[in-house]
Amino acid sequence: MALFASVLFAGKGLVTDLSSFGDKADAVHVAGGKAEYDVIIVGGGTAGCVLAARLSENRAVRVLLLESGGSGRSRLFTRIPSAYPLIFREKKHVYQLYTEPQAFAEGRTRFWPRGKMLGGCSSINAEMAQYGAPGDFDEWAKISGDDSWSWSNFKKYFAKFETYFSQDEATNIDMSRKGTDGPVQVGYFAGTSDSSKAFIKTCEAVGVPFSPDFNVVEVTYIDNKRERVTAETAYLTPEVLARPNLTVAIHAQVTKLLFDTSAETPRVSGVEFTRSAKGVVYKAIATKEVIISAGAIHSPHILMLSGIGPAEELKKFAIPVIRDLPGVGSHLVDHPVVDFNFKDRTKKAPIFLKPSFNISELCLFVKGLIQYLFRKTGPFTTNLTEAAAFLRSDNQDILGPLPGKIQDSTSDTASPDLEIFASAVGYTDHGIVLRPHSIGLHAVLLRYFEHDADVKKLMRAARFILKLGRTEPLASLLDQECADPRFDHLVHLKSDEELEKMIRQRAETLYHPVSTCRMAPLEEQGVVDSQLRVYGVKGLRVCDASIFPSIVSGHTAGAVFAVAEKLGESMQKELAAQT
């Protein structure tokens, strides 16, 4: 029972006593003392774990990683591929965030869970290892003015983080683009249902080109032991945690950054942190750099609490302005998603993976859990979202004639702007706008569907999904006679006006917030330069999805891994030159 052992001993090598590495906030700093580090990383999520592991490879560099939550490795349900929805409502391990009411999406608020543990959202996501389109990163290079972010130069960092496992069905794979010795295992180890396999065949039947790389069955962050791979499990291994120059502290909530303002340009000098709202406040000093890696919501939040952000906004809360940066918290973008539900005629759908008070379903849940824990087989091996297709909304051969002009938001003529993915639980299809026009301002304030182009694209995806549900071989697995209003077998009969209203009502987040600390020119509301350095503040960088110049045409975790690997490599060189 290696899984139980790793869960039981997950805390080994982690520090919980804040006084052991920090001084009280009002204490006089002693040079070379316990609270002094070369680099302090705020946030132990996807990027933070990468940076802690890479920067501490140089034993002369003292690294402190501060995480507000605990160990994700210690939570059994973060390790089981299909169990992540079961921890979304755990306040201790997941931030319970909500959007403002969305004026263009029926005035509803949306639940926005964010990981509060080592590994961050890589511990609670759907494990879909899809990185975006090459054109996305060429667009990053254009926006940032730095060709090192172009696909031809940036792609090596995807290979650096991964160890790719192929399978017999995945033929014609370009292995030159795959990593062979990275810390993150990706491959085809997730369980796959008959309905998801039928989804792939049906997509082919209606003209979607087959891709052996992603659409065979889904490539996932699930390893060869059929356990979830997170940034924590991949990068913060026992060997890494044993390094004498690395301190990984949990339950350490950073409250603000500290600055030396004696010169014209302020320099970050350290951070303050505490265990709880009423707890003792400690500080740690950074002699070289501080990196904020708290995610697209909390990174701008920490910057603003520290006095970096839109000056007028900071003044409203009596926060002294260190640097007026209007772009902090702006340009928030997300992938909106709409579900369509179909009744499984075969009654094989593992609906018991969603807990209920039904005795028979509870028995099946327990049976499946035991099967997974002791044999690593059965329904708990699925990541729930098992197969996907990527499309362009202007593809008239597959989606039919365009209903007028739809504004193009793609990064390139070969880049998609729609994703359709299938789940065997209750048989749900998600139609996702991959390049949404709608942009939000500050914190968790989204403006879903402010631009009609987003709705028009999702309507084309919806019509396509409804067509798939009536096309073989998928059609035979679904109850075509079902008139139950909980399912969508009759939605294809609705008018465009009715369908648009349904989309605005149903739209949810796919948990991909980005771009709140954009890498872009300062005059374009950029927050960081192409080296991820915060404009106008020395020694401070941001590294996570918040720096994305634009959202990728896929799932965001892979790009975050790659961004952190790129920064880690460049900082290793800089720090080596200084030591």
Side-chain angles (χ1 to χ4, degrees):
M1 297 298 290
L3 177 57
F4 279 125
S6 65
V7 169
L8 186 62
F9 296 105
K12 187 176 181 180
L14 306 177
V15 179
T16 58
D17 180 3
L18 306 190
S19 67
S20 67
F21 63 90
D23 291 330
K24 288 187 177 180
D26 57 358
V28 176
H29 172 62
V30 178
K34 65 178 180 179
E36 186 176 281
Y37 295 85
D38 295 305
V39 178
I40 297 176
I41 302 165
V42 178
T46 306
C49 290
V50 177
L51 291 167
R54 293 306 188 191
L55 297 182
S56 64
E57 287 176 352
N58 182 343
R59 299 301 194 270
V61 177
R62 300 164 298 171
V63 179
L64 171 63
L65 174 63
L66 297 169
E67 167 54 41
S68 62
S71 168
R73 187 189 277 119
S74 68
R75 305 296 302 164
L76 180 63
F77 283 169
T78 70
R79 311 295 299 281
I80 300 174
S82 67
Y84 57 93
L86 304 180
I87 60 175
F88 274 7
R89 297 291 179 173
E90 290 187 6
K91 295 181 180 180
K92 184 178 179 181
H93 306 288
V94 178
Y95 285 105
Q96 305 292 294
L97 304 182
Y98 290 84
T99 68
E100 296 273 345
Q102 298 301 294
F104 302 95
E106 300 294 314
R108 290 179 50 231
T109 61
R110 268 65 175 181
F111 178 50
W112 263 34
R114 312 304 299 158
K116 187 183 179 183
M117 64 188 87
L118 287 172
C121 290
S122 72
S123 298
I124 63 171
N125 66 15
E127 303 140 295
M128 298 173 72
Q130 199 283 331
Y131 305 151
D136 298 342
F137 306 105
D138 290 338
E139 184 177 69
W140 284 18
K142 183 178 180 180
I143 293 172
S144 67
D146 185 343
D147 196 56
S148 70
W149 292 98
S150 68
W151 175 247
S152 61
N153 294 315
F154 186 51
K155 63 183 179 182
K156 64 183 179 182
Y157 297 105
F158 290 94
K160 184 175 182 179
F161 78 69
E162 74 174 9
T163 291
Y164 174 80
F165 288 85
S166 187
Q167 67 166 25
D168 292 341
E169 296 156 315
T171 57
N172 301 319
I173 299 294
D174 181 2
M175 290 303 297
S176 68
R177 291 176 53 177
K178 301 300 182 183
T180 57
D181 59 356
V184 180
Q185 287 191 25
V186 300
Y188 304 89
F189 298 111
T192 308
S193 64
D194 290 342
S195 57
S196 291
K197 294 175 182 177
F199 168 87
I200 296 297
K201 295 296 184 183
T202 304
C203 284
E204 289 184 86
V206 298
V208 180
F210 177 76
S211 168
D213 198 352
F214 189 71
N215 288 2
V216 178
V217 287
E218 198 167 83
V219 187
T220 61
Y221 300 109
I222 297 173
D223 65 19
N224 54 10
K225 295 181 291 184
R226 292 197 161 185
E227 297 175 16
R228 171 193 288 273
V229 178
T230 74
E232 180 189 14
T233 62
Y235 285 90
L236 300 185
T237 63
E239 294 76 20
V240 170
L241 291 175
R243 293 172 183 168
N245 61 316
L246 174 62
T247 300
V248 178
I250 56 176
H251 306 302
Q253 177 70 58
V254 170
T255 55
K256 69 175 182 179
L257 307 178
L258 302 174
F259 299 94
D260 177 357
T261 57
S262 59
E264 182 178 354
T265 301
R267 167 177 282 278
V268 66
S269 59
V271 301
E272 287 189 358
F273 52 94
T274 186
R275 178 179 292 277
S276 63
K278 297 182 180 180
V280 177
V281 178
Y282 295 90
K283 67 180 177 183
I285 302 302
T287 62
K288 291 184 171 64
E289 302 217 30
V290 172
I291 308 170
I292 308 297
S293 297
I297 304 303
H298 291 100
S299 284
H301 184 214
I302 291 170
L303 289 177
M304 286 192 277
L305 288 175
S306 305
I308 300 174
E312 293 304 312
E313 191 72 17
L314 300 179
K315 290 174 183 177
K316 291 178 184 178
F317 297 93
I319 297 174
V321 178
I322 298 296
R323 181 74 167 91
D324 179 15
L325 273 183
V328 174
S330 296
H331 273 276
L332 175 62
V333 185
D334 182 35
H335 284 145
V337 57
V338 176
D339 291 342
F340 290 88
N341 305 298
F342 303 97
K343 188 175 181 180
D344 173 28
R345 187 179 66 82
T346 68
K347 298 183 180 181
K348 293 181 180 179
I351 58 174
F352 56 84
L353 293 176
K354 294 182 177 180
S356 73
F357 294 102
N358 182 295
I359 297 299
S360 62
E361 289 185 11
L362 284 174
C363 290
L364 289 172
F365 181 91
V366 173
K367 178 184 176 181
L369 184 59
I370 292 173
Q371 184 179 1
Y372 174 82
L373 293 175
F374 288 92
R375 296 172 56 192
K376 293 295 178 67
T377 59
F380 277 84
T381 62
T382 175
N383 70 321
L384 302 181
T385 52
E386 297 174 345
F390 291 85
L391 309 168
R392 288 184 59 93
S393 60
D394 60 4
N395 188 321
Q396 299 186 63
D397 292 335
I398 295 174
L399 300 182
L402 287 167
K405 182 175 176 58
I406 298 179
Q407 184 178 349
D408 184 13
S409 62
T410 60
S411 60
D412 184 81
T413 56
S415 302
D417 58 359
L418 291 174
E419 176 184 7
I420 315 294
F421 66 79
S423 170
V425 179
Y427 202 75
T428 301
D429 277 322
H430 290 264
I432 306 166
V433 175
L434 290 173
R435 300 282 294 185
H437 285 286
S438 302
I439 293 175
L441 300 173
H442 305 296
V444 190
L445 173 59
L446 292 178
R447 295 186 177 179
Y448 283 152
F449 307 144
E450 183 176 10
H451 292 275
D452 285 340
D454 294 344
V455 181
K456 290 178 180 178
K457 291 175 182 180
L458 273 177
M459 287 180 66
R460 287 176 68 73
R463 293 293 186 197
F464 178 73
I465 286 170
L466 297 169
K467 177 182 178 180
L468 290 180
R470 306 191 314 279
T471 303
E472 296 295 349
L474 183 56
S476 294
L477 303 181
L478 307 179
D479 185 354
Q480 302 295 339
E481 305 301 318
C482 178
D484 187 329
R486 294 176 299 173
F487 298 96
D488 295 317
H489 295 274
L490 302 179
V491 171
H492 67 281
L493 301 175
K494 290 184 179 293
S495 67
D496 285 347
E497 292 75 14
E498 290 172 318
L499 185 58
E500 177 178 342
K501 183 176 179 62
M502 176 182 288
I503 287 172
R504 291 184 185 274
Q505 287 175 334
R506 289 190 181 183
E508 297 287 350
T509 173
L510 197 65
Y511 318 115
H512 291 168
V514 302
S515 301
T516 49
C517 298
R518 288 178 74 225
M519 175 175 60
L522 182 60
E523 59 272 20
E524 296 177 15
Q525 286 202 322
V527 175
V528 300
D529 65 14
S530 65
Q531 301 299 310
L532 308 190
R533 297 173 296 206
V534 175
Y535 287 116
V537 182
K538 293 182 178 180
L540 180 61
R541 305 197 203 215
V542 179
C543 181
D544 52 38
S546 71
I547 67 90
F548 286 15
S550 55
I551 197 165
V552 296
S553 304
H555 296 252
T556 53
V560 175
F561 278 125
V563 166
E565 286 282 13
K566 184 177 187 297
L567 178 61
E569 182 179 273
S570 64
M571 285 190 66
Q572 280 178 326
K573 295 176 182 178
E574 293 175 20
L575 292 168
Q578 297 172 22
T579 54

